[in-house]
Each structure stands twice: as C-alpha cells, then as structure tokens.
Amino acid sequence: MSHWYEERVFNPLMDWALRTPAVRELRTRLLRECPDDPLEIGPGTGLNVPHYPATVHRLRLLAREATLDQRLLDRAAERGLKLVHVHGDAARIPLADASVGTLVCTFVLCSVEDPARVLSEFHRVLRPGGRLFLIEHVRSPRSFERFAQRMLTPLQRRIACGCELDRDLLDALRHGGFATEELACERSDALPFPASELLSGVARRAQ
Ligand SMILES: C[S@@+](CC[C@H](N)C(=O)[O-])C[C@H]1O[C@@H](n2cnc3c(N)ncnc32)[C@H](O)[C@@H]1O
C-alpha cells in the first residue's frame, strides 16, 4: 500500500468513519479510567485524544510514521496534552521490558502483519499486572457472518491498509498471556457489518 494512498485517502476516511457519535461513546467508555502516562499504539489521526480523562497529562505514542498526523497534533493542542512520539513498529517496540504500566490500542490489531508477534511485544513491555485498553473489530461467532468476513477480507486488506475482518483476537490475547475477564465481545451498532463484532475493555498482563 503506497504512503500516498494511506496518507491522502485512507487516513481521512478513517478519521471520518471512526468518529461517529457511537464510536466516540465507545472511546469515552474505554478511556474514562485510563491512568496518566499511557503508551498509545498506532494513534492515527488522534481520535482517542479528546477521550483521555483530565488526569492524563502526558501521552506517549508509538507510531511508525516519522512525523505525527496534523489532526492528532491539533487535537492534542486543543486538549492541552503533552505528546511524546516513540517512533517505531508495534512488532518491535523500542522500549525496555516491563517499562510500561498502561497500553492503549484501538482499531490497530486488525491491520498489523503478525498479531501474535505484536501481542508478545505488548506482553514484554508491560509490567506484570499492567493493563491493555483496547477496542478492535473481530471475527464473528455466527457462522454465516464469519464466512462473509472471510470472503471479504482479501478486498478489505487491499483497500484498508492490511485490515483483516476475521481475526480471533480474544483467543490471541489468551494465548499471548493476557487475562481477558474484563473484555466484552459483542455485536455493536457502532460499526457496520462486516466490522460490527467488537472486542473492547481491558486485558491484563498475567503475572
Ligand atoms: C484504522 S487506524 C486506527 C487509528 C487509531 N488508533 C484510532 O483508533 O482511530 C490503524 C492505525 O494503526 C497503525 N498501525 C498499523 N500497523 C502498525 C504497526 N505495525 N505498528 C504501529 N502502528 C501500526 C496505522 O499506522 C494506523 O494509524
């Protein structure tokens, strides 16, 4: 996928599709108890920024891009949030083991190349008991929908920068050493099918 397409077509589209009132409500609910100094993975255009509670003063951002998106910078300035750009890939986070208390990751794990590898990085950088706040669209439990997701994924991957519709991320989290009792997986009206099955809440790095 070309850089031009991602920057000029995909990011503006995502910025529009992922800031509907229903998705904003999901973000607010997810982040209202987020502690200060989280590390957000793949922040894109900064749609989570307005939803961090007032007690969050500093936000570290792991982004592959050499410069952060202007919409993200504007949202942070409006909110008075100090940003620290950690330049890198989620598959190779340039931070020490057990150095992060809180990770935030929304609508990213659908498009990373190797979700198991990324989750092993999350596990490595989180302190034992550390929390991963996440919202992701995942594989449907209903067989016909799952079939449709599988059929649509090759096209989706091409037009949506690697995004796959049928990933079983709950299973991947459990296998990756995360406790998942505080996660909910359910059909939501916030996004249309085939991305309407949402996994959201908090996963904890098992001790
Ligand atoms: C659909 S956008 C979501 C943006 C934002 N998290 C949100 O909730 O609106 C996916 C984001 O994941 C980022 N991303 C994808 N693969 C990544 C990787 N391997 N490492 C870091 N970021 C990645 C992309 O650059 C993009 O900003």
Side-chain angles (χ1 to χ4, degrees):
M1 195 63 58
S2 81
H3 181 64
W4 179 90
Y5 176 82
E6 184 164 356
E7 201 176 291
R8 298 297 169 96
V9 181
F10 182 69
N11 288 349
L13 264 176
M14 278 301 101
D15 191 68
W16 169 76
L18 294 178
R19 71 174 141 87
T20 60
V23 180
R24 287 212 305 265
E25 169 62 27
L26 290 175
R27 295 181 192 274
T28 303
R29 225 184 309 146
L30 178 74
L31 294 173
R32 67 184 157 206
E33 298 199 354
C34 180
D36 192 18
D37 203 22
L39 173 68
E40 182 173 333
I41 308 294
T45 58
L47 289 170
N48 283 328
V49 164
H51 302 279
Y52 284 101
T55 45
V56 172
H57 301 289
R58 186 177 101 127
L59 176 62
R60 286 184 287 167
L61 302 164
L62 188 281
R64 294 178 300 182
E65 300 78 16
T67 52
L68 295 173
D69 189 282
Q70 190 57 46
R71 286 158 289 209
L72 163 59
L73 299 176
D74 292 343
R75 286 176 172 130
E78 200 170 310
R79 161 66 175 69
L81 194 57
K82 178 176 163 44
L83 300 181
V84 179
H85 182 187
V86 179
H87 185 210
D89 192 292
R92 287 173 299 279
I93 302 177
L95 294 175
D97 297 0
S99 60
V100 177
T102 307
L103 285 173
V104 174
C105 181
T106 60
F107 306 109
V108 173
L109 292 173
C110 56
S111 59
V112 297
E113 227 168 84
D114 181 351
R117 160 84 208 182
V118 168
L119 289 177
S120 85
E121 278 295 272
F122 288 3
H123 192 274
R124 181 184 68 76
V125 298
L126 273 176
R127 296 185 194 113
R131 292 184 292 171
L132 164 62
F133 290 68
L134 72 91
I135 308 173
E136 297 288 343
H137 64 80
V138 294
R139 176 187 297 179
S140 168
R142 291 163 289 279
S143 56
F144 178 72
E145 290 182 3
R146 210 162 50 235
F147 173 74
Q149 286 178 323
R150 198 164 59 244
M151 293 297 106
L152 291 168
T153 283
L155 175 65
Q156 174 80 357
R157 212 184 280 129
R158 288 185 69 85
I159 61 177
C161 297
C163 170
E164 301 203 333
L165 296 161
D166 57 349
R167 290 188 170 175
D168 187 350
L169 295 174
L170 185 57
D171 191 55
L173 281 157
R174 287 178 179 146
H175 278 94
F178 287 89
T180 57
E181 295 80 14
E182 298 164 73
L183 286 173
C185 194
E186 57 201 2
R187 195 206 296 258
S188 162
D189 293 334
L191 288 179
F193 182 79
S196 48
E197 192 72 24
L198 294 187
L199 179 64
S200 64
V202 175
R204 272 179 203 272
R205 189 199 135 151
Q207 299 292 326

